[in-house]
């Protein structure tokens, strides 16, 4: 009996160690997030001021802001989302409504999931081959196209998931009233799944607004104010990349400020998206 | 009579109007269906087009260097000799080290979130970990370069070099001056980046374990460790592997964070403290500066190799996750 108690103590001890390690792992995860955010705040605040939003990116050694980069990011993100969202929503609709059980759908679902995690730099190469090389120059169009390619899989996934949550009775009831299927989808299923679908679009915006790799050789960069979609355009992530790796201190300071801005925007968006979907599911 | 005829014509007019509305509805029905079908196929076409464009773009490199492209280490823009071995090596080594670090921690966090955490804290901590996944990769890059790499250089690398100085094999692995940037630092940053993805998958699959199984095990007097080891993990093994592969797919393709801290040196070094390069970092660093068709084509060929590797890894991940989804649904 005494032996058993010793064994039991040993089991308890090993379990306690495992539990402690799990606590430590979680603490580590939270610490990483905390340290990253703290560094961003500490270094980013230093260069913060109204100038950031009112002046162009400067040449090294002089004062300036990030206005053209912020504007470029907004323009290309919005354009990419406007192009990518309808395609994503329609494809998601097919997967959830028309072709829910078809073979082709499972193939498309599978491919879409792969595109969702595929390296974004490959998207940049793809758009380079497709648009930049034939056009002969870098352009904001190409940048927006690359972002659209990243938007599509995200929106497809969330649209399908959200439509699958809509109870079938709703569809059956409206079909019984004689509504054609397209109206059932657009007037009933879309309405029921709206919050979730908006969440998906917000998550897609959050994802692409921080993307750098696909813009590097599609939209390139531009030191000046430009609204010409057919010309190279600055974007916040690419400017951060360029400035952070430069040897000039004032550029590096601007890079940190840009990093702070973009992180704040992306995290706000993803928290908003989460809040929207959770307030919806609680109803 | 006139009254009747009037009613009659009214009825036919109404019927005609109704037919017109129905026909309109039928047309929009067909049209909308066609739109959704073509959008769905667009996803397939997209994948095909990405593959095709990379093959076309990289063709010149494969035609010039043939199979040698995959097996040589030389990367010389001046003599236009390119081999992909160093970037492939760097990609695989950084991702593997990242997995070695991230997988145990992720499983630990997932166990914490599903078994140990007080109910009220589950959601906030879960969201905090998910936010880690939302931080853009360029932020990990700039943070890694200015904060993490100096810390590693000052406090970790000298210790590693000193600790393994007299141990054979390991002293090769941890050799050289502490640069700060390099393979190890990149791998650690990658580990932080894939951690939330693996955690999310593990947490989801852990939640598919039927409570009865766990309750029965606890009822027999098992400790938490024994329940996790002998019930939860065996039940969800396929899902965990799927999650790990998903993380691996992310790590292999990650660009910006690695570009900042890898050092961009085209050579294969035995030491993991040395600078190296990865496929994505090479493309990001050199593509806009590439002069000449062979150089550009070689970089696109690198992209093709990367896409191919990640495609296989991600496909395996999905297949495994689909298996556990079926199990949970049954």
């Amino acid at each position: 009996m005494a032996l058993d108690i010793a064994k039991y103590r040993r089991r308890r001890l090993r379990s306690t160690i495992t539990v402690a390690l799990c606590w430590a792992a979680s603490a580590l995860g939270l610490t990483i997030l905390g340290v990253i955010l703290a560094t961003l705040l500490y270094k980013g605040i230093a260069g913060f001021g109204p100038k950031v939003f009112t002046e162009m990116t400067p040449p090294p050694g002089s004062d300036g802001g990030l206005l053209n980069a912020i504007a470029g990011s907004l323009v290309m993100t919005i354009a990419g989302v406007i192009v990518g969202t309808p395609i994503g929503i329609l494809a998601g609709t097919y997967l959830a409504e028309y072709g829910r059980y078809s073979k082709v759908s499972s193939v498309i679902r599978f491919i879409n999931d792969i595109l969702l995690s595929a390296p974004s730099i490959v998207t940049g190469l793809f758009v380079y081959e497709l648009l930049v090389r034939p056009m002969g120059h870098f352009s904001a169009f190409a940048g927006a196209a690359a972002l659209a390619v990243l938007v599509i899989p995200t929106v497809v996934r969330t649209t399908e998931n959200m439509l699958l949550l809509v109870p079938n009775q709703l569809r059956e009831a409206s079909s019984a009233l004689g509504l054609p299927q397209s109206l059932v989808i657009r007037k009933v299923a879309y309405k029921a799944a709206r919050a979730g679908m908006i969440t998906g679009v917000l998550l897609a915006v959050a994802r692409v607004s921080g993307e750098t790799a696909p813009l590097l050789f599609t939209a390139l960069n531009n030191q000046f104010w430009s609204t010409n979609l057919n010309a190279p355009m600055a974007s916040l992530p690419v400017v951060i990349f360029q400035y952070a790796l430069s040897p000039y201190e004032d550029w590096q300071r601007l890079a940190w400020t840009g990093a702070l801005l973009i992180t704040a925007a992306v995290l706000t968006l993803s928290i908003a998206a989460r809040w929207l979907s959770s307030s919806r599911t609680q109803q | 009579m006139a009254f009747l005829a009037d009613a009659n014509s009214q009825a036919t007019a109404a019927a005609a109007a109704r037919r017109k509305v129905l026909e309109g509805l039928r047309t929009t029905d067909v049209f909308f269906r066609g739109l959704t079908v073509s959008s769905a196929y667009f996803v397939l076409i997209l994948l095909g087009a990405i593959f095709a464009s990379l093959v076309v773009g990289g063709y010149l490199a494969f035609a010039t260097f043939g199979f040698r492209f995959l097996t040589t280490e030389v990367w010389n823009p001046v003599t236009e000799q390119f081999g992909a071995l160093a970037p492939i090596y760097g990609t695989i080594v950084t991702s593997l080290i990242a997995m070695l670090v991230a997988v145990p921690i992720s499983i630990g966090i997932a166990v914490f979130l599903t078994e140990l955490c007080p109910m009220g804290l589950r959601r906030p901590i879960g969201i905090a970990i998910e936010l880690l996944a939302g931080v853009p990769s360029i932020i990990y890059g700039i943070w890694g370069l200015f904060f993490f790499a100096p810390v590693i250089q000052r406090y970790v690398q000298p210790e590693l070099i000193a600790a393994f100085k007299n141990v054979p094999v390991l002293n090769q692995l941890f050799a050289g001056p502490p640069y700060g940037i390099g393979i190890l630092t990149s791998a650690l940053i990658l580990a932080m980046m894939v951690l939330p993805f693996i955690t999310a998958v593990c947490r989801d699959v852990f939640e598919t374990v039927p409570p009865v199984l766990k309750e029965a095990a606890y009822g027999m007097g098992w400790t938490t460790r024994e329940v996790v080891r002998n019930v939860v993990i065996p039940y969800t093994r396929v899902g965990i592997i799927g999650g790990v592969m998903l993380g691996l797919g992310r790590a292999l393709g990650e660009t910006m964070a690695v570009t900042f801290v890898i050092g961009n040196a085209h050579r294969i070094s035995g030491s993991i403290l040395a600078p190296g390069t990865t496929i994505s970092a090479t493309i990001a660093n050199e593509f806009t500066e590439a002069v000449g068709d062979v150089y550009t084509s070689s970089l696109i060929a690198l992209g093709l190799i990367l896409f191919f590797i990640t495609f296989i890894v991600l496909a395996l991940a999905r297949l495994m996750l689909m298996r556990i989804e079926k199990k949970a649904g049954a």
Side-chain angles (χ1 to χ4, degrees):
Chain A
M1 216 46 206
L3 221 159
D4 271 352
I5 286 176
K7 194 177 173 194
Y8 177 67
R9 283 226 178 94
R10 208 162 51 236
R11 285 172 55 205
R12 283 285 299 273
L13 181 69
R14 292 178 71 179
S15 182
T16 313
I17 292 172
T18 311
V19 168
L21 285 176
C22 289
W23 276 86
S26 310
L28 182 67
L30 294 179
T31 311
I32 293 172
L33 182 69
V35 171
I36 291 178
L37 295 183
T39 320
L40 270 176
L41 273 178
Y42 176 72
K43 297 248 193 183
I45 290 286
F48 212 75
K51 268 190 184 161
V52 172
F53 301 99
T54 55
E55 285 184 23
M56 305 298 150
T57 47
S62 57
D63 250 10
L66 294 164
L67 178 61
N68 51 341
I70 295 171
S73 265
L74 282 177
V75 168
M76 285 189 287
T77 304
I78 291 170
V81 170
I82 287 177
V83 174
T85 304
I87 299 174
I89 286 182
L90 287 169
T93 307
Y94 177 78
L95 295 181
E97 301 282 344
Y98 290 111
R100 191 181 290 193
Y101 304 107
S102 77
K103 273 246 162 65
V104 187
S105 292
S106 48
V107 175
I108 294 174
R109 220 167 272 141
F110 185 72
I111 296 297
N112 188 66
D113 280 343
I114 288 177
L115 283 179
L116 197 61
S117 321
S120 58
I121 192 150
V122 169
T123 314
L125 288 176
F126 165 60
V127 174
Y128 176 86
E129 279 290 307
L130 194 73
L131 291 176
V132 179
R133 202 198 282 258
M135 283 162 68
H137 58 88
F138 300 101
S139 68
F141 277 132
L147 295 183
V149 172
L150 295 174
V151 168
I152 293 172
T154 322
V155 176
V156 170
R157 188 105 210 76
T158 45
T159 305
E160 192 204 352
N161 285 348
M162 291 306 137
L163 286 174
L164 287 180
L165 289 180
V166 176
N168 255 336
Q169 285 94 320
L170 278 182
R171 297 194 183 87
E172 284 157 11
S174 23
S175 291
L177 287 174
L179 277 186
Q181 200 174 358
S182 68
L183 281 187
V184 174
I185 293 168
R186 279 184 295 157
K187 303 277 177 187
V188 179
Y190 278 179
K191 278 227 168 97
R194 192 170 49 197
M197 287 160 70
I198 295 173
T199 304
V201 176
L202 284 182
L203 285 177
V205 175
R207 185 183 167 198
V208 299
S209 54
E211 280 289 353
T212 320
L215 295 177
L216 280 177
F217 25 85
T218 50
L220 202 67
N221 200 349
N222 192 338
Q223 217 189 319
F224 307 102
W225 176 259
S226 164
T227 49
N228 184 0
L229 286 178
N230 205 17
M233 191 179 264
S235 64
L236 213 37
V238 175
V239 168
I240 295 172
F241 179 53
Q242 189 198 347
Y243 281 18
L245 287 177
S246 75
Y248 314 111
E249 239 172 65
D250 42 351
W251 272 21
Q252 287 179 5
R253 200 166 49 241
L254 266 181
W256 277 106
T257 308
L260 177 63
L261 273 181
I262 212 158
T263 312
V266 168
L267 293 189
T268 311
L269 268 173
S270 41
I271 290 173
R274 228 169 285 275
W275 174 78
L276 192 69
S277 68
S278 73
S279 71
R280 171 73 200 166
T281 44
Q282 271 161 20
Q283 273 173 19
Chain B
M1 281 308 261
F3 165 73
L4 258 182
D6 199 34
N8 232 348
S9 74
Q10 256 180 17
T12 42
R18 207 155 123 198
R19 206 175 308 126
K20 213 170 155 194
V21 170
L22 280 176
E23 251 161 37
L25 283 177
R26 202 165 299 140
T27 325
T28 47
D29 219 35
V30 171
F31 181 68
F32 186 73
R33 195 197 157 104
L35 268 183
T36 64
V37 173
S38 41
S39 300
Y41 276 98
F42 185 77
V43 174
L44 287 185
I45 295 168
L46 202 58
L47 184 90
I50 292 175
F51 252 123
S53 73
L54 294 177
V55 169
V56 170
Y59 177 75
L60 184 62
F62 285 115
T64 316
F65 304 115
F67 194 66
R68 254 186 321 132
F69 186 70
L70 294 177
T71 54
T72 50
E73 198 188 324
V74 58
W75 187 270
N76 193 335
V78 182
T79 57
E80 296 213 318
Q81 288 297 312
F82 300 101
L85 197 59
I88 294 176
Y89 169 84
T91 304
I92 292 173
V93 168
T94 49
S95 300
L96 288 184
I97 300 174
M99 286 296 128
L100 281 180
V101 177
V103 170
I105 298 177
S106 304
I107 293 179
I109 298 178
V111 169
F112 176 79
L113 286 174
T114 51
E115 305 287 325
L116 309 170
C117 185
M119 268 299 172
L121 285 178
R122 263 178 210 196
R123 245 182 88 77
I125 294 183
I127 289 178
I129 299 289
E130 279 167 35
L131 284 187
L132 209 51
V135 175
S137 67
I138 186 143
I139 305 301
Y140 283 96
I142 187 172
W143 180 77
L145 181 63
F146 290 103
F147 180 87
F148 191 63
V151 168
I152 290 279
Q153 182 177 28
R154 200 163 311 150
Y155 302 107
V156 181
Q157 289 184 340
E159 301 294 324
L160 284 173
I161 294 168
F164 296 109
K165 201 163 60 189
N166 298 318
V167 188
V169 184
L170 283 182
N171 61 0
Q172 294 297 311
L173 206 55
F174 297 102
Y179 289 107
I181 55 173
I183 302 260
L184 180 67
T185 310
S186 309
L188 292 177
I189 295 266
L190 279 179
M192 295 175 202
M193 298 186 68
V194 297
L195 190 120
F197 292 101
I198 306 176
T199 304
V201 174
C202 285
R203 189 187 58 183
D204 290 348
V205 297
F206 284 177
E207 274 166 2
T208 65
V209 179
V212 208
L213 286 184
K214 285 191 280 187
E215 282 157 14
Y218 280 120
M220 302 249 295
W222 280 12
T223 60
T224 309
R225 173 179 190 270
E226 287 159 349
V227 172
V228 169
R229 253 196 85 152
N230 303 324
V231 177
V232 176
I233 291 183
Y235 189 88
T236 54
R237 196 183 312 125
V238 184
I240 296 174
I241 298 173
V244 171
M245 301 284 268
L246 203 64
L248 181 60
R250 290 258 170 193
L252 288 168
E254 178 45 51
T255 309
M256 297 323 292
V258 176
T259 306
F260 273 90
V261 291
I262 189 88
N264 207 34
H266 274 279
R267 61 161 189 267
I268 297 174
S269 169
S271 167
I272 59 168
L273 303 184
T277 190
T278 67
I279 294 178
S280 46
T282 305
I283 301 173
N285 265 321
E286 301 179 24
F287 196 81
T288 42
E289 288 156 18
V291 187
D293 289 341
V294 181
Y295 196 176
T296 309
S297 175
S298 297
L299 288 169
I300 296 177
L302 275 183
L304 179 64
I305 295 168
L306 176 67
F307 196 49
F308 191 70
I309 299 173
T310 49
F311 184 89
I312 289 171
V313 170
L314 292 171
L316 287 174
R318 283 297 158 197
L319 288 174
M320 286 174 170
L321 289 173
M322 268 152 73
R323 256 173 72 187
I324 199 154
E325 266 164 30
K326 255 185 209 144
K327 193 166 154 191

